[in-house]
Amino acid sequence: MHSEQQPENTDVIVRRGTDCEKWDGMAQVFGRDDLLPMWVADMDLPAPPQVVDALKNRAEHQVYGYTFRPDSYYQAFIDWNRQRHHWQISPECLSDAPGVIPAMALCIHTYTAPGDQILIQTPVYRPFFDVVTDNKRKLVTSPLVEDQGYYQMDYDDIAQKFAQGVRMMILCNPHNPVGRVWTADELKRLGELCLAYDVKIITDEIWADLVYPPHRYQPMAAINRDLANQTIALLAPSKTFNIAGLHNSIAVIHNKDWKKQYDQALKRAHLDFANIFSVVAFTAAYRFGGEWLDQLLGHLKSNCHQVTAALDGYGGIRIRPPEGTYLLWLDFRSLGLGQDLIIKALVEHGKLGLSDGRSFGREGDGYMRMNVGCPRSMVTEGIARIKESIAYLTEKAE
Ligand SMILES: Cc1ncc(COP(=O)(O)O)c(C=O)c1O
């Protein structure tokens, strides 16, 4: 990345008027369109210049006919994972997917039947709930255990629920919204339970690349051969390179029978197509985006730090810096005011749009999720708006 393209120096790019969910869609969610939106998980930052150039080149060709994903597309993903994560993936394990959540839905259809139990760990990204219930499977939740803002898995609870007949679990690694980057030991312990109870693991690793050292992303499928065979990993360049609107993702399936079933289902649903722009962006991002990502991570980490330094302890708010993601999980519980009042103050007084913690499950009551994937000036503004909201609430309470 050239110095003038560093996120720190990036002027705010006006996104209003581009039909983007975060800005143009805010009225639908918040009932007004004059908020600073720090909710939807994409970034108010430009994609890597190499991706932008590749897209421009492709657009200039002027012919946009049918395409397929060439070998170089898969190779870019394989090389990226070998170099950055020491994860060796062979091309035979790769399958296509039009998005991580659509692929999850396809897995649910392929490997389970209506009424089957599927476990998720809450609080978690809302579509994990919906993809299970929309497809008429039975949702089983295992709440993460929180201690001073640090979340861990509840293995006893998971084992107990697995013993009651769970067929599949959907893992979020790293975890949105609590910002944990699960360690190899944690994943191994969970994986052993999955093997013992023959629970299929669908692991959503869309946040894999947005991890702050010394924390390290551990692919579930790279722990050992047994777990590779028990796992379907879903990944995408969407979050890492801010190209979520191109809607493209990839599945890693080591188990040959499961891969065959998945590929057949993809074909049956006629979802085995490729979009030329997403293929071009995916390849350029994984091939050339490493240096850009390293700089982005520095920027995001300092955004997280800025918010934590300014707001942890402020008016009773608690925040712990995330190990990965650009999402902060703000704990307002000690204010004892109730979620509706906090949201009202943030929206009506602070003019700030954060994600309601309750959308991540009942354990999210009292929390708000703040997206700091944006230029520094927006983070500063977001902090000021939270402080104003708190001041307003405190005044009201007196
Ligand atoms: C954990 C997680 N999975 C999946 C997605 C969305 O993936 P896709 O747009 O490919 O369906 C998100 C977006 O925020 C996410 O946080």
Side-chain angles (χ1 to χ4, degrees):
M1 186 190 293
H2 307 297
S3 59
E4 70 273 19
Q5 288 161 326
Q6 287 178 11
E8 285 86 339
N9 300 331
T10 306
D11 292 333
V12 175
I13 296 179
V14 177
R15 295 182 68 191
R16 271 190 205 277
T18 61
D19 298 333
C20 80
E21 205 179 327
K22 192 191 263 175
W23 291 81
D24 297 321
M26 84 172 84
Q28 257 194 320
V29 173
F30 297 97
R32 53 198 294 165
D33 69 355
D34 59 349
L35 310 182
L36 178 69
M38 301 183 91
W39 59 303
V40 174
D42 63 20
M43 296 190 277
D44 293 307
L45 295 170
Q50 295 88 345
V51 171
V52 177
D53 288 346
L55 287 169
K56 278 188 190 158
N57 281 341
R58 189 62 187 87
E60 275 167 12
H61 184 255
Q62 303 180 64
V63 181
Y64 313 124
Y66 291 115
T67 191
F68 59 89
R69 293 173 173 93
D71 289 347
S72 55
Y73 166 94
Y74 299 106
Q75 198 57 49
F77 178 75
I78 290 170
D79 292 345
W80 175 269
N81 281 290
R82 191 187 59 251
Q83 286 156 10
R84 283 195 85 98
H85 306 305
H86 311 291
W87 185 14
Q88 307 283 348
I89 304 169
S90 72
E92 305 81 63
C93 299
L94 296 177
S95 290
D96 302 325
V100 165
I101 301 301
M104 221 175 253
L106 200 70
C107 290
I108 288 173
H109 272 275
T110 307
Y111 307 118
T112 66
D116 279 354
Q117 298 180 47
I118 301 180
L119 181 138
I120 62 173
Q121 293 167 295
T122 51
V124 76
Y125 182 53
R126 180 79 223 168
F128 280 33
F129 293 77
D130 302 336
V131 76
V132 173
T133 54
D134 289 350
N135 290 295
K136 310 281 180 281
R137 272 58 172 176
K138 186 160 182 273
L139 186 70
V140 178
T141 59
S142 176
L144 296 170
V145 180
E146 185 261 351
D147 182 19
Q148 300 195 33
Y150 188 72
Y151 285 83
Q152 286 177 293
M153 302 192 188
D154 187 342
Y155 302 100
D156 291 340
D157 182 63
I158 293 168
Q160 200 192 332
K161 285 170 179 161
F162 279 2
Q164 287 163 13
V166 167
R167 299 285 308 277
M168 172 185 274
M169 81 162 289
I170 307 175
L171 172 69
C172 196
N173 174 37
H175 192 100
N176 168 11
V178 307
R180 277 299 319 282
V181 175
W182 305 118
T183 64
D185 285 346
E186 287 173 307
L187 293 173
K188 192 157 182 278
R189 193 163 165 200
L190 175 70
E192 276 161 8
L193 288 176
C194 293
L195 289 168
Y197 290 95
D198 195 17
V199 171
K200 289 187 172 67
I201 309 164
I202 308 298
T203 177
D204 176 340
E205 303 191 352
I206 199 168
W207 291 98
D209 299 306
L210 295 174
V211 168
Y212 307 114
H215 303 285
R216 280 198 52 198
Y217 156 62
Q218 168 65 52
M220 182 52 134
I223 290 181
N224 59 42
R225 192 188 289 253
D226 289 341
L227 281 173
N229 273 319
Q230 193 71 11
T231 296
I232 291 159
L234 306 175
L235 293 105
S238 332
K239 302 288 165 198
T240 315
F241 303 104
N242 206 27
I243 52 176
L246 291 170
H247 258 293
N248 189 23
S249 65
I250 191 160
V252 185
I253 315 176
H254 287 84
N255 185 311
K256 287 197 175 70
D257 293 336
W258 294 7
K259 179 168 186 320
K260 200 167 154 200
Q261 286 174 284
Y262 177 94
D263 288 341
Q264 283 168 348
L266 194 71
K267 215 163 175 347
R268 257 201 317 275
H270 295 264
L271 288 171
D272 54 337
F273 55 80
N275 171 297
I276 46 171
F277 291 106
S278 68
V279 170
V280 162
F282 179 109
T283 311
Y286 283 129
R287 183 62 70 215
F288 306 115
E291 219 179 296
W292 177 92
L293 175 60
D294 291 338
Q295 297 204 25
L296 174 78
L297 285 170
H299 171 72
L300 296 178
K301 189 173 180 180
S302 74
N303 280 0
C304 292
H305 176 77
Q306 193 187 346
V307 176
T308 311
L311 294 179
D312 183 34
Y314 186 89
I317 302 176
R318 304 303 317 195
I319 321 173
R320 211 185 156 97
E323 298 173 348
T325 81
Y326 45 71
L327 309 168
L328 292 163
W329 190 231
L330 276 56
D331 180 355
F332 287 85
R333 288 176 304 172
S334 76
L335 275 71
L337 295 171
Q339 188 84 339
D340 290 333
L341 192 56
I342 286 164
I343 294 176
K344 198 166 152 47
L346 287 166
V347 171
E348 291 178 13
H349 197 79
K351 303 241 169 47
L352 185 64
L354 304 182
S355 304
D356 184 346
R358 291 174 299 194
S359 67
F360 302 88
R362 88 162 75 87
E363 299 79 14
D365 195 5
Y367 292 81
M368 300 294 292
R369 193 191 72 176
M370 180 183 192
N371 173 349
V372 294
C374 57
R376 181 59 59 84
S377 58
M378 278 177 57
V379 176
T380 306
E381 185 59 36
I383 292 169
R385 289 176 184 225
I386 291 175
K387 286 187 170 176
E388 279 164 31
S389 310
I390 296 291
Y392 168 77
L393 283 168
T394 318
E395 236 170 67
K396 235 177 139 240
E398 279 166 7

